[in-house]
């Protein structure tokens, strides 16, 4: 097993940081528009949570590159971790 690269280790922090920027921007806009700190804090938290959820969904939907595909597949080309029969044969299984 290989150790993760620096980019792979910092990736979650990047997503949280980007969500924090979304939240701060939204909170600042609400604060400047309404002059109410409580309302700005509420919108900041909501925007942060929505940003985390959306970025996480986009990260999950991203197609893995060749290196990632090599890591998740075994020597037979099957996905690791799935419950499969080790003596796989091409014969159909009927009742």
């Amino acid at each position: 097993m290989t150790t993760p690269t620096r980019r792979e280790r910092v990736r979650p922090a990047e997503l949280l940081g980007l969500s924090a920027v979304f939240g701060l921007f939204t909170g600042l806009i609400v604060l400047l528009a309404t002059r109410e700190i409580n309302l700005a804090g509420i919108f900041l938290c909501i925007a942060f949570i929505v940003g985390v959820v959306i970025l996480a969904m986009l990260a999950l939907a991203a197609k893995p590159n060749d290196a990632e595909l090599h890591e998740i597949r075994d020597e037979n080309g099957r996905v690791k971790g799935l419950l499969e029969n080790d003596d796989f044969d091409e014969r159909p299984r009927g009742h």
Side-chain angles (χ1 to χ4, degrees), residues 38-94:
N38 292 337
L39 189 62
I42 292 170
F43 273 86
L44 184 144
C45 292
I46 290 172
F48 175 76
I49 292 169
V50 168
V52 167
V53 169
I54 289 174
L55 289 175
M57 289 174 59
L58 290 174
L60 287 173
K63 183 178 178 183
N65 59 18
D66 290 336
E68 292 169 341
L69 284 176
H70 178 68
E71 288 180 6
I72 62 175
R73 297 197 180 273
D74 62 3
E75 62 275 356
N76 296 327
R78 296 180 297 195
V79 177
K80 295 179 185 176
L82 290 181
L83 296 175
E84 292 181 347
N85 191 1
D86 289 335
D87 54 347
F88 179 73
D89 57 348
E90 295 294 327
R91 291 180 290 143
R93 294 183 181 177

